[in-house]
């Protein structure tokens, strides 16, 4: 069973930065695809970014391109980070780390991930 533990959320003013971290444990293979989703109460979950290190692939939703960067720890392959710069009030949400195996057609679909973290809150004030 894969376990995901997130950290790094918090409150920041618009234009500020935060870095989220996610450590995955319980996985011994080499095909783990990891990413981040976010959700505002009353709205659908939104895929934010994903990374598939085995293929050197990353993908971002349009709303965060140029502001967010997803990366993976080279020493600890199952640890990913989401560097969020120039944050906007619209980025306020609960952010969830996710993991799945193998390549998929649309990595920003929630249904493509079997494992979810507990979430970490990001709040951006105007």
């Amino acid at each position: 069973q894969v376990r995901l533990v997130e950290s790094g959320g918090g409150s920041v003013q618009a234009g500020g930065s935060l870095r989220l971290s996610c450590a995955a444990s319980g996985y011994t293979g080499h095909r783990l695809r990891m990413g981040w989703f976010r959700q505002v109460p009353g709205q659908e979950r939104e895929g934010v970014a994903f990374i598939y290190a085995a293929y050197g692939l990353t993908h971002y939703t349009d709303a965060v391109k140029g502001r967010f960067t997803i990366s993976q720890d080279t020493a600890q392959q199952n640890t990913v980070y989401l560097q969020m710069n120039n944050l906007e009030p619209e980025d306020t949400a609960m952010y969830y780390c996710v993991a799945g195996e193998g390549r998929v057609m649309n990595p920003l679909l929630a249904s493509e991930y079997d494992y979810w973290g507990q979430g970490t809150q990001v709040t951006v004030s105007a």
Side-chain angles (χ1 to χ4, degrees), residues 43-62:
Q43 297 185 18
E44 294 289 322
R45 287 176 296 189
E46 176 188 28
V48 176
F50 100 100
I51 185 166
Y52 196 179
Y55 290 89
L57 295 173
T58 59
H59 187 74
Y60 301 88
T61 191
D62 287 344

Side-chain angles (χ1 to χ4, degrees), residues 46-101:
E46 176 188 28
V48 176
F50 100 100
I51 185 166
Y52 196 179
Y55 290 89
L57 295 173
T58 59
H59 187 74
Y60 301 88
T61 191
D62 287 344
V64 307
K65 285 180 180 177
R67 300 187 298 120
F68 291 11
T69 303
I70 190 169
S71 61
Q72 189 160 14
D73 191 303
T74 55
Q76 312 227 2
Q77 292 292 309
N78 294 340
T79 299
V80 294
Y81 306 97
L82 185 67
Q83 178 66 42
M84 305 185 293
N85 296 328
N86 195 20
L87 283 160
E88 303 169 353
E90 293 73 21
D91 296 316
T92 295
M94 184 71 78
Y95 283 70
Y96 297 92
C97 180
V98 296
E101 284 193 274

Side-chain angles (χ1 to χ4, degrees), residues 2-75:
V2 176
R3 181 169 178 256
L4 304 175
V5 178
E6 306 110 328
S7 61
S11 298
V12 66
Q13 289 190 322
S17 299
L18 286 172
R19 189 174 87 149
L20 305 183
S21 300
C22 175
S25 59
Y27 183 78
T28 58
H30 300 282
R31 300 176 67 240
L32 199 63
R33 168 177 33 90
M34 298 182 71
W36 295 89
F37 278 70
R38 64 186 180 186
Q39 188 170 26
V40 176
Q43 297 185 18
E44 294 289 322
R45 287 176 296 189
E46 176 188 28
V48 176
F50 100 100
I51 185 166
Y52 196 179
Y55 290 89
L57 295 173
T58 59
H59 187 74
Y60 301 88
T61 191
D62 287 344
V64 307
K65 285 180 180 177
R67 300 187 298 120
F68 291 11
T69 303
I70 190 169
S71 61
Q72 189 160 14
D73 191 303
T74 55

